[in-house]
Amino acid sequence: MRLRTSVAATVGALALVIALPASAGAAQGDFTYQHNSETGISQTSALVDPQSRECITLPEVENEMTAPAHSPRNNTDATATVFAGADCEGDHFTLRPNGGHASERLMVRSVVFS
C-alpha cells in the first residue's frame, strides 16, 4: 500500500513540474527599442524574456538628461505597457503581444509586461 501511495505521489509531482512553464513570471520573447548613444549614434537595444508585472526602466535612457527611447516593438507573448517616464510614470501606451509596435514619435523610458 505504501509503495502505491509513493508512486502516485511521485507521478503527481512529476506531472505538476512538467505542467509549469519553463520560466514562470517572464514574458517570452524580445522587446526592442531604439535610442541614441552618448555620441548621438542610433542604436537598437532589446529586453529578452523580461520579467512580468515588474516595472523595467530602460537602462540607456533612465537619466532624464538623455533623449528617451522610441520605436518600441513588442515581440513577447505578453502585453507591454510603455511609459514616457522612468519607473513606469507619466503617459502610457499599450502594445499588443507578438508584434505590437509604435513609431519614432512614441517616446519611452520604462515598460511593464502583463
Side-chain angles (χ1 to χ4, degrees):
M1 187 69 161
R2 277 190 168 174
L3 180 61
R4 193 178 329 162
T5 304
S6 296
V7 169
T10 302
V11 169
L14 181 60
L16 182 60
V17 168
I18 291 171
L20 291 175
S23 55
Q28 299 297 305
D30 298 342
F31 175 83
T32 61
Y33 52 95
Q34 295 181 11
H35 59 91
N36 290 332
S37 69
E38 292 178 6
T39 58
I41 297 171
S42 181
Q43 296 181 325
T44 300
S45 292
L47 302 174
V48 179
D49 297 338
Q51 280 297 108
S52 296
R53 295 180 213 75
E54 183 177 296
C55 179
I56 301 169
T57 298
L58 305 177
E60 299 85 358
V61 296
E62 65 186 346
N63 183 342
E64 293 289 328
M65 300 302 286
T66 62
H70 60 86
S71 306
R73 181 170 292 275
N74 182 22
N75 290 314
T76 71
D77 62 356
T79 299
T81 304
V82 295
F83 293 83
D87 301 318
C88 296
E89 294 183 359
D91 293 338
H92 63 278
F93 185 80
T94 302
L95 301 171
R96 65 178 171 74
N98 303 312
H101 62 279
S103 74
E104 67 273 354
R105 293 188 327 228
L106 183 64
M107 302 296 169
V108 300
R109 290 193 188 274
S110 57
V111 61
V112 66
F113 296 88
S114 62

